[in-house]
Amino acid sequence: MSKLSKAWTQQVTPRPAIWADVPDEKWTDWRWQLSHRVSELEILETFINLTDEEIEGISAPNRFRLDITPYFASLIDPDDPMCPVRQQVIPKGRELKAFDSMMEDSLAEDRHSPVPGLVHRYPDRVLMLVTTQCASYCRYCTRSRIVGDAAATFSKAEFELQLDYLRRTPQVRDVLLSGGDPLTVSPRILDYLLGELRKIEHIEIIRIGSRVPVFLPQRVTDELCETLAKYHPLWLNIHVNHPKEITPELYQACDKLSRAGVPLGNQSVLLAGVNDSVHIQRELVHQLVQMRVRPYYLYQCDLVEGAGHFRTSVAKGIEIIEGLRGHTSGYAVPQYIIDAPGGGGKIPVAPQYLISQAPGKVVLRNYEGFITTYTEAGDYDPDAIKAWEAKVEKRPEPGQEGVLGLLEGEQLAIKPEAFDEIHKRNAMKHRLNQDESKWQPFHTGENSKNIPLTTAE
Ligand SMILES: *Cc1c(COP(=O)(O)O)cnc(C)c1O
């Protein structure tokens, strides 16, 4: 056991004075934590020295829901407005300010929903929103359009619609439960949903995205772990942005989940003034791997209402990856992702390591700036694998083969919407040039279906 993880097993987070008298059995009870969440100015100001801008944010009508578990609130530095925990959960006046390209649903999730709450963006996996509730609310929430509304929760009938869609959509092999926070739904409903998903044979893995271990580690009880373990293979991503959120309580929750066989990952969001630093990110990922949590994604902040002041440049994200890759364990390096505004999905962005290329040779640089060449095989035969490849089931991706489809010769080009219309320009055909077919490419490849150029969806 590392020195840090040893400390995490032996300590507890100290509590602010207002909760000093709460008996331990209440403090460690997740139901008590949920029902004693703080949201009112009068309470917040008893243990945080609020700035004028925070008071403005807290008092603003129509602001995104504010609610913080006493446990997470106890991590706030009462005297430092720049405290990374505080900035994530205490509203500021500036979150109400509109900015260029701001959207309500920046990932166009609603457009990709075949049934309420199900986002089917990728060929083989879906995002299943099962609740609008969270244990506490992140100010930069990408789903603030639906999250936090206590009156708008998912009904049993909606779950049935979601499950029905999944039952009749065999290309879905991976279901990602999200919300809201799936670990805030009642134990009975969680068990029901996981059980129904597991009954669907084509669903290979179930994933949960949850900030409950961070906001409400008390919820990670032995019973919860037993429930999750019934439905393996089940993976879980937590959401930690700063080393300050890594506490003995979080460590113990992660340890329990790992022991229940749940592989853990972390998704962070790059936030200006919170974690936009190579050195803070290094500290964060080092502490995460000590908890057996694998850094998975580092997200560029979405163009969503409320998040304007948290946005960094994209260059900062690239610099952070530059400062991690090679400098530390590969296990500790997340992928930096921009979730495409308009619904294009997650796009990885990374420093450039391939510097140049000629036939038979590539030039590469490493993290130190060392430049090398890799000589490619002169007699490489990419077809030698074909006999074995034929034995593997090819999974259909109707219309979503993408750039791989171009490489495999199934399509010649991907064209913007209305490309063909625009480029016809009412062209007059010469009488000697009437035969359209001679402009269509002829493919000889095994995969090719000689499909004419069509506009990609
Ligand atoms: C993030 C996301 C997924 C999962 O993406 P991975 O890259 O496989 O982790 C699936 N569906 C939607 C709509 C998503 O936003």
Side-chain angles (χ1 to χ4, degrees):
M1 197 177 248
S2 76
K3 199 169 108 195
L4 199 52
S5 30
K6 193 176 265 165
W8 285 328
T9 59
Q10 290 164 358
Q11 294 167 8
V12 290
T13 299
R15 302 182 211 165
I18 58 162
W19 293 299
D21 297 333
V22 178
D24 282 350
E25 66 271 19
K26 283 199 169 152
W27 183 260
T28 57
D29 177 353
W30 61 273
R31 291 173 206 269
W32 184 91
Q33 287 281 340
L34 276 183
S35 56
H36 289 80
R37 284 183 290 182
V38 285
S39 59
E40 273 142 25
L41 179 63
E42 297 69 45
I43 300 178
L44 290 162
E45 65 190 4
T46 63
F47 69 101
I48 306 172
N49 294 316
L50 296 169
T51 64
D52 289 345
E53 202 197 350
E54 286 170 326
I55 293 169
E56 183 197 345
I58 295 164
S59 318
N62 301 324
R63 58 140 169 75
F64 178 53
R65 177 157 167 197
L66 157 63
D67 238 335
I68 314 169
T69 56
Y71 158 79
F72 199 68
S74 70
L75 306 181
I76 291 176
D77 183 330
D79 302 312
D80 182 3
M82 289 300 285
C83 164
V85 170
R86 176 162 164 173
Q87 292 191 76
Q88 290 181 57
V89 289
I90 301 280
K92 280 188 193 152
R94 74 189 87 162
E95 83 178 28
L96 304 158
K97 244 178 69 191
F99 57 90
D100 185 22
S101 298
M102 178 178 92
M103 286 170 268
E104 196 188 349
D105 177 14
S106 76
L107 310 179
E109 292 186 323
D110 296 345
R111 214 173 54 214
H112 284 101
S113 285
V115 293
L118 212 62
V119 188
H120 192 175
R121 171 70 191 75
Y122 296 102
D124 70 338
R125 55 206 186 280
V126 299
L127 183 67
M128 184 173 171
L129 309 180
V130 296
T131 176
T132 55
Q133 304 299 296
C134 288
S136 302
Y137 294 89
C138 311
R139 301 322 300 167
Y140 49 86
C141 179
T142 196
R143 258 177 234 127
S144 49
R145 71 185 187 283
I146 46 172
V147 162
D149 183 349
T153 52
F154 284 78
S155 66
K156 183 90 193 277
E158 280 163 330
F159 291 147
E160 280 313 316
L161 282 176
Q162 295 179 327
L163 291 164
D164 260 355
Y165 178 86
L166 294 172
R167 289 182 194 114
R168 61 187 152 85
T169 313
Q171 77 261 35
V172 174
R173 42 160 291 285
D174 174 358
V175 176
L176 167 48
L177 297 186
S178 184
D181 196 315
L183 295 188
T184 62
V185 307
S186 78
R188 193 177 47 82
I189 291 180
L190 184 66
D191 192 56
Y192 164 77
L193 288 172
L194 293 173
E196 289 304 304
L197 289 173
R198 233 337 132 227
K199 281 187 206 158
I200 305 174
E201 271 189 20
H202 55 264
I203 295 176
E204 297 172 359
I205 62 168
I206 300 173
R207 290 196 263 175
I208 294 177
S210 173
R211 209 176 187 187
V212 156
V214 174
F215 284 146
L216 183 66
Q218 297 78 12
R219 176 67 188 93
V220 184
T221 57
D222 292 340
E223 301 81 78
L224 178 71
C225 292
E226 277 163 31
T227 301
L228 298 179
K230 284 196 289 181
Y231 303 110
H232 277 314
L234 184 145
W235 298 58
L236 195 147
N237 265 325
I238 63 171
H239 172 179
V240 185
N241 289 324
H242 190 279
K244 207 165 176 227
E245 295 156 57
I246 300 186
T247 62
E249 289 83 355
L250 176 62
Y251 176 84
Q252 285 154 34
C254 291
D255 188 52
K256 267 189 194 160
L257 290 163
S258 291
R259 284 170 198 270
V262 180
L264 297 177
N266 183 60
Q267 314 198 77
S268 343
V269 181
L270 184 54
L271 300 170
V274 172
N275 62 8
D276 53 336
S277 146
V278 170
H279 302 282
I280 292 169
Q281 290 283 344
R282 254 194 227 173
E283 178 73 21
L284 173 65
V285 297
H286 287 162
Q287 295 198 14
L288 286 167
V289 293
Q290 287 183 75
M291 294 200 297
R292 289 178 283 168
V293 175
R294 166 86 157 92
Y296 181 60
Y297 286 155
L298 170 64
Y299 290 103
Q300 177 66 12
C301 205
D302 289 331
L303 297 172
V304 68
E305 287 174 18
H309 62 290
F310 282 118
R311 289 174 311 145
T312 65
S313 62
V314 172
K316 182 51 77 174
I318 294 175
E319 181 193 345
I320 287 168
I321 302 303
E322 184 72 63
L324 294 175
R325 173 63 64 198
H327 296 272
T328 191
S329 323
Y331 272 132
V333 184
Q335 259 197 63
Y336 174 47
I337 298 283
I338 301 181
D339 214 336
K346 299 181 177 69
I347 300 173
V349 179
Q352 199 55 258
Y353 295 100
L354 185 65
I355 290 183
S356 196
Q357 246 177 311
K361 201 160 269 190
V362 295
V363 179
L364 307 145
R365 62 101 175 171
N366 82 346
Y367 72 102
E368 296 166 289
F370 173 81
I371 296 177
T372 189
T373 53
Y374 178 86
T375 305
E376 296 173 322
D379 56 356
Y380 168 58
D381 174 11
D383 291 332
I385 194 71
K386 286 262 152 64
W388 278 104
E389 207 174 54
K391 296 178 191 180
V392 180
E393 181 201 353
K394 266 198 167 178
R395 307 233 186 192
E397 295 184 23
Q400 286 189 276
E401 298 84 354
V403 177
L404 180 65
L406 301 183
L407 292 174
E408 296 198 327
E410 289 175 5
Q411 237 187 323
L412 183 74
I414 297 173
K415 296 187 282 184
E417 213 175 304
F419 182 91
D420 288 332
E421 288 303 303
I422 292 163
H423 288 273
K424 263 186 196 150
R425 301 197 202 283
N426 296 323
M428 293 301 293
K429 283 204 184 74
H430 192 274
R431 67 192 159 76
L432 300 176
N433 198 12
Q434 297 286 340
D435 183 6
E436 287 262 358
S437 70
K438 68 180 168 196
W439 306 111
Q440 300 295 342
F442 181 76
H443 297 301
T444 56
E446 207 180 300
N447 295 331
S448 60
K449 299 170 200 141
N450 284 312
I451 316 169
L453 293 179
T454 48
T455 302
E457 265 287 78

